[in-house]
Amino acid sequence: MKSTNILTILLCSVLLFSCGKEDPFTGQTAGGEGQVLKSALNMDLRDGERGQTTLRSTRADVPYDDFKVIFTKDGAAAPAKTFRYGDMPDVVTLEKGVYTATATYGENLDAEWENPYYVGQSQAFNIRAGEITDDIGEIVCRLENIKVSIGFAPILTQEMSESSFVEVKVTSDGQDAKGLRFTKFEENRGISGYFRYAEGVSLVATFNGMVEGLKISTTKSIPVVEKGNHYKITFKLHTQEGENQGDVTADMKVDASVTVVNVERNVEVGDDDILDDDERPSEKPDDPNPPTPGGAPEIVGTGTINIDALNVIDGSVPVGMKITSSADGGFQEFNVVIDSPDLPPAELERVGLSANLDLAETPEQFAAPLTNFGFPTNVKGKKEANIEISAILLGMLKGVDAGAGHTHKFILTVTDANGTTEKTLQLKFE
C-alpha cells in the first residue's frame, strides 16, 4: 500500500484530469479524512473456464462495470461506502483508519440460471488524513457458488420424451430446497445453473421422463460439494444387454456420470467415484473387463498440437489427436463435446452434428457427418482411435469466427476398464 502527499498528487492532477464525481480532486478534505484512487483497485477475476483476466480489461465478456465495491472500516458494523464499479468516482474520500475493499459480482441466490457469484477482498490498508492512497494490492475474485450443467448422451436424447427433465437441488441436512429443471433446451444452449453454497451441502440430480414408453426416475447424488466447482452430470441410457441394443424393456436403466472441474483452474479435480442412490455393486459381480496393467486411456496431440495448451492455428491443415487404451476390452465410452461460441447447437445441427457426440456407439444419423469431418465412429472395444479434425470443419469454424479470436474447445472424455481420461483440445485462429 502506497500513500503520496496530497499536494504532490494535486499538482499532477491539474495537468491530467478532473475527478469530480464525489469530491473534486483538490485535496480539500476534512482534517480526519484521506482519499483512495479508483485505479488503486487491482481486481483479478479468476475463472479458468473463461480465461483468467484482470477485471479492468476491455474484454466484452468481463462484466467489470457491474461489480460492487464495498469499503469497510475495521471494526465497523456497516460498510463505509458502496459503489457499482462503473459508477465509482475516480477519487473516494474516507475517514482515516484501517479498511478492506470487497468486490462482488452477481447475487448469492439459492438457485438461478446463469448466475455466477464472485467475491474477492483486499488485504487491510490504511487511509491517512490528508493523503491519497494509490495502491491497495490485488483483489482476487473467485466463484463463491456452485455451477451445475446437465448433459444427455446422444442415444438417450433420441429415446427420451420431450417432456423429460432432470431436477437439480443443493440441500443441507435433507431440507427441501429450490431446484432447477434441465431439459434438452438447456443442454442444447449450454445453459448452467448456479446454487448457493453452504458448508456440508449435497447435490441431488433426478432424471424424470418417458423413455420408449417406459416411465423412468433415477437419481445421482453427490454427498459433499464445494464452491468454485463445476459439476458436469451426463445421463446415459443402458439396457441389460448393453447400450442401445434395440429392445427396450424393464431392464433398461438411465444412469449418470459426473465430471468435477475447478472453475478457477479449469481442470478436473477428482475421479468420478460417486454411486447412484441405489448403489448397484451386485449388478455385475464378475467384472468382464477387470483393470489390466497400465493407466487410464491416453489422449495426445499429433504433429504440432499440444493437448495441454492453447493451440494457435491457421485452419488450413487438419488437427490431429491420438487416443489409446491399454485395458482389456478397449474403449467403453468415448464422448466429444464441442464447446465453441461460434458453433451453437443450431449451427451444428445444420451440418449434421451435435454438441455432445458419442463416438463409442455412434447414432446412425451422425456417422456420415462425423466421418466427413475427421472423427472416428463406433470405437467401443477398440484400443486405438485417431481424430483428424478436417480442414473443412476448421474452415467453417474460422469463417464464423471472423477474426473474433475466440477459443474453440473439443472436450474428450474416454473410459476403459482402467479409468477415465478427460482432455480439452483448445484452438484459436491466428
Side-chain angles (χ1 to χ4, degrees), residues 149-389:
S149 59
I150 297 294
F152 302 104
I155 296 170
L156 178 58
T157 300
Q158 272 185 286
E159 304 297 341
M160 72 190 216
S161 64
E162 290 298 321
S163 61
S164 298
F165 64 88
V166 173
E167 183 169 40
V168 177
K169 291 184 177 182
V170 171
T171 63
S172 178
D173 298 327
Q175 296 180 355
D176 198 18
K178 179 183 176 182
L180 296 176
R181 290 190 173 187
F182 291 77
T183 66
K184 294 179 184 179
F185 176 90
E186 284 76 28
E187 185 209 24
N188 288 339
R189 286 154 182 78
I191 297 174
S192 297
Y194 289 81
F195 298 82
R196 185 193 300 270
Y197 171 78
E199 188 174 355
V201 293
S202 301
L203 188 153
V204 179
T206 303
F207 177 93
N208 288 288
M210 301 294 293
V211 182
E212 282 286 324
L214 291 176
K215 186 175 181 180
I216 301 293
S217 180
T218 187
T219 296
K220 173 69 73 175
S221 295
I222 305 176
V224 179
V225 292
E226 298 292 340
K227 64 184 178 182
N229 281 349
H230 180 184
Y231 295 87
K232 303 177 181 179
I233 305 175
T234 303
F235 282 83
K236 305 174 184 181
L237 173 64
H238 300 266
T239 68
Q240 192 176 45
E241 301 300 324
E243 289 193 18
N244 199 31
Q245 297 300 311
D247 295 326
V248 181
T249 71
D251 294 322
M252 178 182 64
K253 69 175 183 178
V254 173
D255 61 12
S257 61
V258 180
T259 301
V260 184
V261 174
N262 182 276
V263 168
E264 180 176 342
R265 301 193 305 274
N266 195 22
V267 296
E268 191 172 343
V269 296
D271 295 329
D272 178 20
D273 55 0
I274 303 157
L275 298 176
D276 293 327
D277 274 2
D278 53 3
E279 297 183 353
R280 303 167 177 153
S282 61
E283 207 168 53
K284 293 182 180 179
D286 297 315
D287 189 348
N289 295 307
T292 53
E298 277 197 355
I299 305 174
V300 297
T302 60
T304 60
I305 297 301
N306 184 346
I307 196 69
D308 296 313
L310 177 64
N311 298 271
V312 180
I313 61 172
D314 63 12
S316 63
V317 296
V319 169
M321 290 172 284
K322 183 177 181 179
I323 304 91
T324 56
S325 168
S326 61
D328 290 342
F331 304 125
Q332 298 304 306
E333 297 181 11
F334 197 125
N335 295 291
V336 177
V337 173
I338 301 176
D339 181 6
S340 166
D342 298 312
L343 285 181
E347 183 68 19
L348 289 168
E349 289 172 10
R350 188 181 67 80
V351 296
L353 296 180
S354 166
N356 192 339
L357 301 166
D358 185 350
L359 304 188
E361 294 179 295
T362 310
E364 186 176 349
Q365 72 268 29
F366 295 123
L370 282 170
T371 300
N372 292 337
F373 289 131
F375 294 88
T377 60
N378 297 308
V379 299
K380 185 170 183 177
K382 297 182 180 179
K383 292 194 171 187
E384 182 175 316
N386 292 283
I387 294 176
E388 285 199 349
I389 303 175

